[in-house]
Amino acid sequence: RTEENYFFRLSKYQGALDKLFEERPDFVQPSYRFNEVKAFVGKGVNDFSISRSTISWGIPVPNDPDQVIYVWFDALLGYISALLKEGDEPTIEQALARGWPCDVHI
C-alpha cells in the first residue's frame, strides 16, 4: 500500500538526543531503563508518519483536507492539551508548567 503522508522528522533530533543522554543520564525515568533507551536511540532514530489519507475519521491536518492526524499521535497532543486551561497560550511550556511534575496518580 502506498500513500502520501506527513512525517515527523525525528532523525533531525538524533544529535540532540545523543547529547541529552550524555549530559543528563537522569533524564530517562525509571533510571534502570537508561541503557536500553540510549542503545535504542544510538542505533539511529527514524522519521515516522503522523498522518493518513486512507481514513476519513480523525483530526484534520490544517490546510490539507485530504489528510487526518494518525490516532496515536493525536492522543499525545490530547494528553498535553488537557493540561491547558481555556485562554492559555497553547504551548508545551505552558502545559508542562501547569501539569508537571504530576501529583495525581489514578
Side-chain angles (χ1 to χ4, degrees), residues 1-79:
R1 177 170 95 181
T2 302
E3 64 179 317
E4 290 188 17
N5 302 120
Y6 290 95
F7 280 74
F8 180 77
R9 255 182 52 194
L10 185 59
S11 61
K12 175 182 175 180
Y13 303 97
Q14 179 73 52
L17 288 168
D18 293 336
K19 182 177 179 183
L20 175 67
F21 295 146
E22 196 64 37
E23 295 176 356
R24 297 249 343 261
D26 63 323
F27 180 78
V28 176
Q29 296 295 318
S31 60
Y32 63 83
R33 293 288 186 202
F34 174 74
N35 288 334
E36 177 183 358
V37 172
K38 186 176 179 188
F40 178 82
V41 172
K43 292 178 184 175
V45 292
N46 297 314
D47 302 341
F48 56 90
S49 174
I50 61 167
S51 73
R52 293 290 182 260
S53 65
T54 56
I55 57 176
S56 59
W57 52 270
I59 298 174
V61 171
N63 301 318
D64 191 340
D66 296 329
Q67 295 278 328
V68 296
I69 296 174
Y70 194 41
V71 65
W72 65 266
F73 193 74
D74 75 3
L76 296 174
L77 300 175
Y79 299 148

